[in-house]
Amino acid sequence: MSLRSRTRPHVWGMVLATSLSIPPAHARENVLVIRSPEPDAVQTVVTGQGPAASVAMPDGPASMTPRWLVARADLHWTCPDSKAVALEVKTDKGPNARPRTFELLRTHGLHGASTQMELYLWEVSAVKAACASEGEVRVDSVPVKLTLRCEGGQVFQHQQVIPLQARCRPLAPSEEAVTGLTGSENERDRGSYQQMLGKFALMTPDLSPSELSLGKKGTLEFSDVLRRAWTPEFQALRVVKLGAKGEILERQPPVPLSGDPEDPVFAPRLTLTPSKAETLRFALEAEYPDGSRLLSQPAEVRVLTPKQQAAQAARVIPPARRMQFLEELQKQMGALDCGPVLIQWIQKQPVIEDAGQSKDSGLWYRFSDGQMGIVHCH
């Protein structure tokens, strides 16, 4: 499954009640807010007990890392009598504990506008700990602190703790995946995993070529990864080499961003000279601002010796020869019953590796190059 194209959900946030430090003459309800059409939509489901409990990705466009549940929010601001200079966002814990400042005057030069950002609000461990018994529980986030600076020295501040409503099912079996990212409750009910944000660990990158020559330098190209197509966004992306049991053997430097500055992409590449005929396994590793990391599913590359490459080339069937077999097969089907005799004829053909009876009373055959074919019998 390719990482190239991913769907992004509608952006959401939470309305912040405005108890701002504003002079009475300038008190306005929407000077500094994080807006949302549904303030109570921040929900999750926890199954199982203790540290091994499984936390579902919240329903709606919120996502998570192995350590934090993350909300993507719209921050709106308005300077009543002047232009906006800067907006600072900070929380007491997580990556937002390092204040993030948006320089608004240089970017917008407006009295008001909006900025989109990710808020790391609920620790996964705290959500698990809160779900010790059956039922629903409210899990408060760390306080979100907003500071808006306007021209003329005006400063507006606001702080709010945003709740997460957790539905606790400690007696239900935990659905902990390899990374703990087990999807929304709707996914659990369907028993399927769709292409959703936050499901990086369930994706398999496209990798080309699928074979390398022993002792010869080659370049592996992974499918491009759109930075903004994933929530939470990556802080860095690396190519890693995996061992037979999935352990990381080598970690490459971060992949540089390229393309449109407004929508940059990671284009992972790896140049190597294989020294051993074997199957190599590589994955992409995403690193998040909270320091946690996730691996994609592995992609495999075969390293072939000259002898193996020659043998493989000998198995290649030219299109004309394949078509000749199909024409001969059509004639045989008119003269023979669709049964053991026809199977024996197919098995004797030089371009065929094997053939047999299929479950629906038809026949199957495999060319010497591995390509499969089916005969429908009437």
Side-chain angles (χ1 to χ4, degrees), residues 324-335 342 345:
Q324 180 184 351
F325 163 77
L326 295 175
E327 292 173 351
E328 293 173 354
L329 174 60
Q330 190 69 29
K331 294 177 183 177
Q332 292 297 325
M333 290 177 62
L342 182 56
W345 179 86

Side-chain angles (χ1 to χ4, degrees), residues 1-3 6 194-196 199-205 230 295-298:
M1 189 178 297
S2 172
L3 294 174
R6 297 285 176 258
Q194 295 183 340
Q195 296 182 20
M196 294 184 63
K199 304 311 286 292
F200 177 82
L202 298 176
M203 299 301 172
T204 302
W230 298 85
L295 285 177
S296 71
Q297 291 296 303

Side-chain angles (χ1 to χ4, degrees), residues 88 90 147 227:
E88 181 183 277
K90 185 179 183 295
T147 301
R227 183 180 185 181

Side-chain angles (χ1 to χ4, degrees), residues 60-351:
S63 192
M64 60 193 294
T65 74
R67 297 180 184 175
W68 289 82
L69 275 68
V70 182
R72 181 179 287 271
D74 272 339
L75 281 64
H76 294 251
W77 68 87
T78 302
C79 282
D81 302 314
S82 60
K83 293 181 180 180
V85 176
L87 175 65
E88 181 183 277
V89 183
K90 185 179 183 295
T91 58
D92 290 333
K93 299 173 68 176
N96 300 121
R98 298 185 297 273
R100 181 173 179 184
T101 300
F102 300 90
E103 296 184 18
L104 305 179
L105 186 61
R106 186 179 63 182
T107 306
H108 299 277
L110 302 174
H111 287 255
S114 64
T115 291
Q116 187 182 94
M117 75 170 300
E118 294 173 342
L119 300 174
Y120 284 62
L121 296 179
W122 306 278
E123 288 184 275
V124 173
S125 59
V127 177
K128 292 181 179 181
C131 277
S133 58
E134 194 79 16
E136 294 195 6
V137 64
R138 167 175 161 151
V139 182
D140 289 337
S141 76
V142 295
V144 180
K145 303 173 183 178
L146 306 178
T147 301
L148 175 66
R149 302 184 186 280
C150 305
E151 279 188 325
Q154 282 187 313
V155 178
F156 301 92
Q157 294 180 324
H158 179 64
Q159 174 176 306
Q160 182 172 336
V161 174
I162 302 168
L164 173 76
Q165 195 69 23
R167 188 177 305 166
C168 306
R169 299 172 181 172
L171 301 181
S174 174
E175 299 184 43
E176 189 80 16
V178 175
T179 63
L181 306 189
T182 56
S184 69
E185 185 178 11
N186 290 336
E187 280 187 296
R188 288 174 167 177
D189 292 341
R190 291 194 303 268
S192 63
Y193 292 96
Q194 295 183 340
Q195 296 182 20
M196 294 184 63
L197 291 167
K199 304 311 286 292
F200 177 82
L202 298 176
M203 299 301 172
T204 302
D206 291 334
L207 181 57
S208 178
S210 60
E211 296 174 349
L212 294 173
S213 300
L214 177 64
K216 293 185 178 180
K217 182 183 292 187
T219 298
L220 298 175
E221 297 187 359
F222 295 78
S223 50
D224 292 350
V225 180
L226 295 173
R227 183 180 185 181
R228 298 184 63 188
W230 298 85
T231 297
E233 290 185 7
F234 311 142
Q235 179 171 281
L237 188 72
R238 292 178 173 84
V239 175
V240 296
K241 181 180 178 181
L242 303 177
K245 297 181 180 180
E247 71 277 17
I248 296 178
L249 301 180
E250 296 177 10
R251 182 179 278 115
Q252 300 298 317
V255 179
L257 282 168
S258 59
D260 185 351
E262 296 297 321
D263 198 10
V265 301
F266 295 102
R269 303 288 187 270
L270 178 62
T271 300
L272 69 162
T273 303
S275 59
K276 181 181 179 182
E278 59 180 338
T279 298
L280 299 176
R281 294 173 180 83
F282 297 96
L284 298 178
E285 182 186 61
E287 182 178 341
Y288 298 97
D290 63 0
S292 62
R293 293 172 174 175
L294 279 180
L295 285 177
S296 71
Q297 291 296 303
E300 295 187 344
V301 179
R302 294 179 62 205
V303 179
L304 302 179
T305 64
K307 185 177 180 179
Q308 289 173 320
Q309 289 178 316
Q312 186 164 286
R315 295 177 59 199
V316 175
I317 301 173
R321 183 64 185 91
R322 199 185 307 273
M323 182 59 66
Q324 180 184 351
F325 163 77
L326 295 175
E327 292 173 351
E328 293 173 354
L329 174 60
Q330 190 69 29
K331 294 177 183 177
Q332 292 297 325
M333 290 177 62
L336 301 175
D337 291 334
C338 196
V341 178
L342 182 56
I343 292 175
Q344 291 176 7
W345 179 86
I346 295 175
Q347 290 175 332
K348 292 178 181 179
Q349 304 310 301
V351 295

